[in-house]
Amino acid sequence: MHDQPLTGAVALVTGAGSGIGAATARRLAGDGAAVTLVAHRRDRVVQVANDIARQGGEVVALEADITEADRADDMVQDTLDRFGRLDILVNNAEVRLLGSALHATIEEWDQMISLNVAGLVHVTHAALPHLIYAATTSPREVADLVNVGSAAERVVRPGSSVYGLTKSGLNAFTESLRQELLGERVRVSVVEPGAVDDGQENRLGDSARDAARWPTDGIEGLRPDDVADAISYIVTRERRVAVNGMLVRAGDQTW
């Protein structure tokens, strides 16, 4: 395979300011794609974009609240204005707020539903016509939509009720789109990471941090680059190959 198999392709990655999203953006740029990075914090996404630009990559950084449908539309249009097409969408943006149902606030639950579900739907809806068009005009003869889920959808733990709800919904959404878009040459995939050392735990409150930590105590977690490798593998396959799902657990993870 060519050293840069995505040369000429354009990718959009949400949640690209840190963790899996930042690692994925760097990896796809290394594979030759021009990349649009989206995050809700401009300082973080600009830093990642600068790293990619220093390596010679084509990149644009956007600050956007994708829970607003109009902003998701604008974000996709900004990508088209800058690069002229959209071949790959990686829906990675999420928030994970863990804690018991008794002690969680409705605001925390709404925040997860707004970003993990509504944000996913808004960006996908805005991008789909352009992915379909890209599949008909690209030398690759295919486009890719990758949704980043979680192993939490497969093994539910206490304290993750609404987070698990959002990831279960993501899986159902992904599978329906996969079947719908087969004839359009748009591959639809889900990547389900297990325990990842991505820094999210550090942004949780005390009780939620405890809930996030206890299932992973003693486990050497995945690194964001490990998940980025999986995403790169999916989108760099020849057209005849569709990797529709990939579960990536830490080596010591039992659940």
Side-chain angles (χ1 to χ4, degrees):
M1 185 172 288
H2 193 278
D3 288 343
Q4 290 191 310
L6 297 181
T7 297
V10 176
L12 189 158
V13 183
T14 67
S18 62
I20 292 170
T24 298
R26 292 187 177 100
R27 178 59 186 268
L28 297 183
D31 288 334
V35 187
T36 295
L37 315 182
V38 180
H40 70 287
R41 284 187 53 177
R42 180 167 180 77
D43 57 335
R44 288 183 174 176
V45 76
V46 167
Q47 181 177 351
V48 178
N50 288 341
D51 291 343
I52 291 172
R54 280 193 290 269
Q55 298 298 317
E58 289 187 83
V59 61
V60 62
L62 299 177
E63 177 186 6
D65 179 1
I66 61 173
T67 66
E68 298 179 7
D70 289 346
R71 191 64 190 98
D73 289 338
D74 292 343
M75 176 192 71
V76 170
Q77 187 60 52
D78 288 345
T79 301
L80 298 171
D81 291 343
R82 175 64 175 83
F83 298 120
R85 59 187 301 111
L86 177 59
D87 300 84
I88 300 165
L89 171 62
V90 180
N91 280 314
N92 169 72
E94 67 154 35
V95 60
R96 183 173 71 241
L97 302 174
L98 305 180
S100 71
L102 181 62
H103 298 100
T105 67
I106 195 65
E107 289 78 16
E108 290 171 335
W109 284 4
D110 283 345
Q111 187 179 349
M112 285 188 281
I113 292 168
S114 292
L115 182 57
N116 301 3
V117 179
L120 167 76
V121 168
H122 294 160
V123 177
T124 301
H125 188 269
L128 275 180
H130 308 290
L131 293 173
I132 292 170
Y133 176 77
T136 67
T137 60
S138 168
R140 298 169 63 236
E141 299 183 320
V142 71
D144 286 279
L145 193 170
V146 181
N147 293 329
V148 180
S150 172
E153 183 273 333
R154 293 175 178 252
V155 182
V156 178
R157 294 281 184 171
S160 64
S161 56
V162 174
Y163 180 73
L165 167 69
T166 66
K167 293 304 178 178
S168 295
L170 178 148
N171 270 20
F173 181 64
T174 302
E175 174 57 16
S176 182
L177 288 178
R178 184 192 71 81
Q179 296 179 37
E180 291 179 26
L181 296 173
L182 279 172
E184 305 289 354
R185 294 187 296 184
V186 177
R187 298 182 295 205
V188 183
S189 309
V190 60
V191 174
E192 297 174 286
V196 182
D197 292 332
D198 60 359
Q200 275 216 52
E201 180 183 311
N202 296 327
R203 299 197 293 273
L204 301 176
D206 290 341
S207 62
R209 187 179 300 114
D210 291 342
R213 182 185 297 121
W214 73 262
T216 59
D217 279 346
I219 292 176
E220 181 182 1
L222 298 168
R223 298 171 184 172
D225 284 341
D226 298 324
V227 185
D229 285 347
I231 294 170
S232 172
Y233 180 85
I234 289 171
V235 303
T236 56
R237 296 309 89 198
E238 299 288 345
R239 177 194 165 195
R240 69 182 183 278
V241 181
V243 182
N244 297 129
M246 191 178 292
L247 173 63
V248 186
R249 285 190 174 104
D252 297 326
Q253 187 172 343
T254 58
W255 50 277

